[in-house]
Amino acid sequence: MENDEKIPLLTPFQLGPFLLNHRIVLAPMTRCRSYGSIPQPHAAVYYSQRATPGGLVIAEATGVSDTSMGYSCTPGIWTQEQVEAWKPIVKAVHDKGAVFFLQIWHVGRLSHTSYQPKGQAPISCSSKRAPGPSPSGDILEYSTPRALETREIPLVIQDFCTAARNAIEAGFDGVELHGAHGYLIDQFLKDGINDRTDGYGGSFENRCRFALELVEGVAKEIGSQRIGFRFSPFSNFSDSADSNPMKLAVFLAEALNRYNILYVAEPKIKLSGEVESELWPVKRAFKGAFLAAAGFDRDSGNAAIESGLADLVVYARHFLANPDLPRRFQLNAPLNLYDRNTFFSHDPVAGYTDYPFLEETV
């Protein structure tokens, strides 16, 4: 076994008020096992399995309102019933000594009328319809969205603020705002989608306005050091490309500095060039902690920490399939293989809480 001091991923890090014992973060993967948008007891097993003392766990994308949904069996945080259902899940993670954040989202146009109250059209910054199908396969064709009127935008921002306040009431240490992967915040950010002619469209400043007003509102609600922001400027997921992703990324990173938020997280998804050449300018522009996500293994994660490219590395599929991932990285032990067929299953066990720990594979 290597000495922990020689393994960059296993070194401590001060994330604002939170002292982390290692730099391996559980990604907020969509798990589709919250029946009726209510988190279930089996989520306490799933998250606590992957919680370690001083580890950062980010819970799955969670809806901020009844218009925010676009996947079956995803959780919400806008009702008191949902808040109460989250409480024992949060307690299970805290009992393991981990820091627990909740990713909150609104899918925007990546939805269908069947998911919307009274069968109404999904809302977005634009009336442009996204190409289907959804990643989970439960929507073959997205519905044509309705562009939000300018006067309605503050109401959506308030939904995020209420959701953040509810997350703190449920016991979470903070929230991650999901501004990536073609969902509502990203729809406002990208000129490939945003065709508005009001103060929320056109220039970089205008397209970032929704995200920044949202951050400002949530910071007033729960405090800036309880906020992370995930964005994906270089991704064109769900037809969400931008004509100048680097300029957008740096502009937004610098603008977020005004609010002193805890971290930004950026997936390692690129359109061209080397990953490092795309991430470094964003890392330099943002003054808080920088989380790199998606596609990392043990060696590339260690390299990202050692080089300074990332402060923390976020793992999804590997952490899903290996609930004891930090220990496996410590021992340089073999990893379980993940099963894509169960990623969006509704089964409360299979592909969820049944991946074996290292001792069970010996």
Side-chain angles (χ1 to χ4, degrees), residues 253-288:
E254 290 177 341
L256 287 169
N257 288 329
R258 300 200 296 266
Y259 304 101
N260 193 36
I261 64 173
L262 193 60
Y263 70 81
V264 296
E266 184 176 356
K268 194 182 72 169
I269 299 174
K270 57 188 185 348
L271 297 177
S272 62
E274 294 297 324
V275 171
E276 290 78 6
S277 67
E278 293 176 346
L279 295 189
W280 270 116
V282 187
K283 171 70 164 63
R284 295 188 182 102
F286 184 67
K287 304 306 181 185

Side-chain angles (χ1 to χ4, degrees), residues 170-189:
F172 284 99
D173 298 295
V175 299
E176 178 178 289
L177 305 175
H178 196 343
H181 302 327
Y183 299 113
L184 183 62
I185 298 173
D186 200 31
Q187 290 162 29
F188 273 88
L189 293 174

